[in-house]
Amino acid sequence: MWLLVALLAAAVAVAIVTRRSALPYTVGLVLFGLTLSLIGPAVAFPVSPKLLLAIVLPGLVFEAAFRTDLAILRRSAGWIFLLAIPGVVVVATIVAAILSATTTLTFTESFLVGAMVAATDPAAILGTFRQIRVPIRLETIVEMESLVNDGTGIVLFAVALEMLEGGGSIGGSVVVFAVSLVGSAILGALLGAVAARIVRGIDEHLTQLTITVVLAYGTYLAADAVGLSGVITTLVAAGAFGTIARGDLTSQTRDTIDVVWEFAAFLLTAGVFLLVGLAIAPSTLALAAEPIVWGVLAILIARAIVVYGLLGIPATLFARRGRQDLAIPRPWLHVLFWAGLRGAVSVALALSIPSDVPNRELIQGVTFGIVLFTLIVQGSTAGLVVRRTGASTTS
């Protein structure tokens, strides 16, 4: 209990200090935790990686999905889909190819690294973008990509780990991957609709708020229990609930949900980034120094190919045909490229790798190094990229 209070107090202190500077508070939290791990005694990770994800992700996913403007989301749904599903697979494959060619890791081991760092992290993205003024549609694309691709990345990690441990085949893995995503979406839609129907018969705001908490965490746990993606299930459930039930919620309830969930998102984001800094052992980073350089290069190349190729080419074609409602301005592409932050999810997945996996420490070291680069370097300069590219004034 004292550890929890200490972490929250430290998170608040760092947030206050960083709000007076250009440094995003998520970066400040990671640096603070990393400093403690460097100068202090070794600190065991206070919660299991799986429990960390179960505590953090449902709250962040529900809060972001519930407040998303559906009209804007519909305009950008295709781009989000490209980035969050095929984009994640492309990044994981490119990272695997580069790491296997430049380090001692095999392709399968490298693909495991790729799966862990392929998805952008919702906590990192949400924490950074709330301090930067960008067009609402660009913000929606970045945030929703980080939410959807997180579910994709976790499923891909499970597939990669199974292949590394000698189980499954490529064809079977593709089927499992597709079934998990589709099944999660269906389950989420059903549970969101059920919760919305229950809310219609209730006019007490605290009870309605409690239903949103049950929905956020209950859908995640239910999906995980049956082998589906908790992130995708919670995301779809939140969207379905918001669409169906928003008209049935009183103004007091909507205000309460907004305030309580925003506060919860702040606490979750702050706590998790302190834990990320504490969880990364300096000795692990030192062991993987050279592979980390290749890993960072690989993630930047892969992200560039996805953003400027998979997304940029069709976006340019739409612009040339006069479909400005669907096109993505070029300055936005630069922001999307540089906003590919990795964070708590990648760290938690790396910590959850079984101890008997070959080259486990090296795999973790490369993953941690990539996470730190994206958070510290990209996270601290994201605002500069927005300003220099003119993305904040482009619509």
Side-chain angles (χ1 to χ4, degrees):
M1 190 63 183
W2 278 108
L3 177 60
L4 175 62
V5 173
L7 287 175
L8 292 178
V12 171
V14 172
I16 292 173
V17 171
T18 54
R19 286 186 188 279
R20 298 177 180 177
S21 68
L23 189 71
Y25 84 93
T26 50
V27 177
L29 291 167
V30 172
L31 290 175
F32 182 75
L34 190 61
T35 301
L36 290 180
S37 69
L38 283 170
I39 65 176
V43 179
F45 206 59
V47 295
S48 71
K50 187 173 182 179
L51 178 59
L52 175 66
L53 294 179
I55 293 173
V56 172
L57 288 181
L60 292 176
V61 169
F62 185 91
E63 190 267 344
F66 181 78
R67 65 178 174 79
T68 297
D69 188 321
L70 291 179
I72 295 175
L73 180 60
R74 290 190 190 99
R75 288 180 59 195
S76 307
W79 304 127
I80 295 168
F81 173 84
L82 280 176
L83 288 170
I85 299 181
V88 169
V89 177
V90 169
V91 169
T93 304
I94 293 174
V95 170
I98 293 176
L99 284 180
S100 62
T102 57
T103 70
T104 59
L105 295 173
T106 65
F107 183 84
T108 307
E109 292 168 346
S110 299
F111 189 75
L112 182 63
V113 175
M116 290 187 288
V117 300
T120 55
D121 185 83
I125 295 295
L126 297 175
T128 299
F129 260 65
R130 282 172 183 164
Q131 294 179 275
I132 303 173
R133 181 176 295 179
V134 296
I136 185 63
R137 184 172 167 233
L138 173 59
E139 181 181 354
T140 299
I141 292 173
V142 174
E143 290 187 355
M144 292 306 295
E145 178 207 356
S146 72
L147 296 175
V148 179
N149 73 9
D150 223 44
T152 307
I154 293 173
V155 173
L156 196 63
F157 168 77
V159 170
L161 189 60
E162 183 181 7
M163 293 178 64
L164 184 61
E165 293 176 336
S169 61
I170 295 179
S173 298
V174 170
V175 172
V176 170
F177 182 77
V179 169
S180 178
L181 294 182
V182 174
S184 300
I186 294 173
L187 178 61
L190 290 174
L191 293 177
V194 169
R197 182 173 291 275
I198 293 174
V199 161
R200 286 177 178 172
I202 300 172
D203 58 3
E204 204 280 313
H205 70 285
L206 291 179
T207 303
Q208 291 177 324
L209 173 64
T210 304
I211 289 173
T212 66
V213 177
V214 173
L215 179 63
Y217 286 91
T219 51
Y220 186 96
L221 295 174
D224 187 64
V226 296
L228 297 176
S229 169
V231 175
I232 298 296
T233 305
T234 302
L235 176 67
V236 176
F241 176 81
T243 302
I244 300 171
R246 192 173 295 274
D248 298 314
L249 299 175
T250 65
S251 59
Q252 184 180 20
T253 297
R254 288 194 294 270
D255 291 341
T256 301
I257 290 175
D258 288 340
V259 171
V260 170
W261 277 107
E262 185 178 5
F263 175 65
F266 169 79
L267 291 182
L268 292 172
T269 301
V272 76
F273 277 104
L274 269 177
L275 292 177
V276 166
L278 289 169
I280 298 178
S283 59
T284 304
L285 295 175
L287 173 70
E290 183 178 344
I292 286 173
V293 174
W294 288 111
V296 169
L297 182 62
I299 204 71
L300 292 176
I301 292 173
R303 181 69 177 178
I305 290 173
V306 168
V307 171
Y308 295 110
L310 190 63
L311 198 67
I313 292 175
T316 301
L317 294 176
F318 276 121
R320 288 177 178 175
R321 293 179 181 180
R323 296 299 306 274
Q324 299 301 328
D325 57 323
L326 295 177
I328 296 179
R330 180 159 293 275
W332 291 14
L333 295 177
H334 304 323
V335 175
L336 287 168
F337 163 67
W338 200 244
L341 308 183
R342 277 71 182 174
V345 174
S346 298
V347 171
L349 292 177
L351 291 172
S352 69
I353 298 174
S355 58
D356 59 346
V357 169
N359 289 317
R360 179 179 184 266
E361 192 171 359
L362 179 58
I363 291 172
Q364 288 180 329
V366 176
T367 303
F368 294 159
I370 292 172
V371 168
L372 285 179
F373 174 85
T374 63
L375 288 177
I376 296 173
V377 178
Q378 293 178 256
S380 61
T381 56
L384 178 63
V385 172
V386 171
R387 292 190 296 271
R388 288 291 179 86
T389 59
S392 58
T393 59
T394 307
S395 59

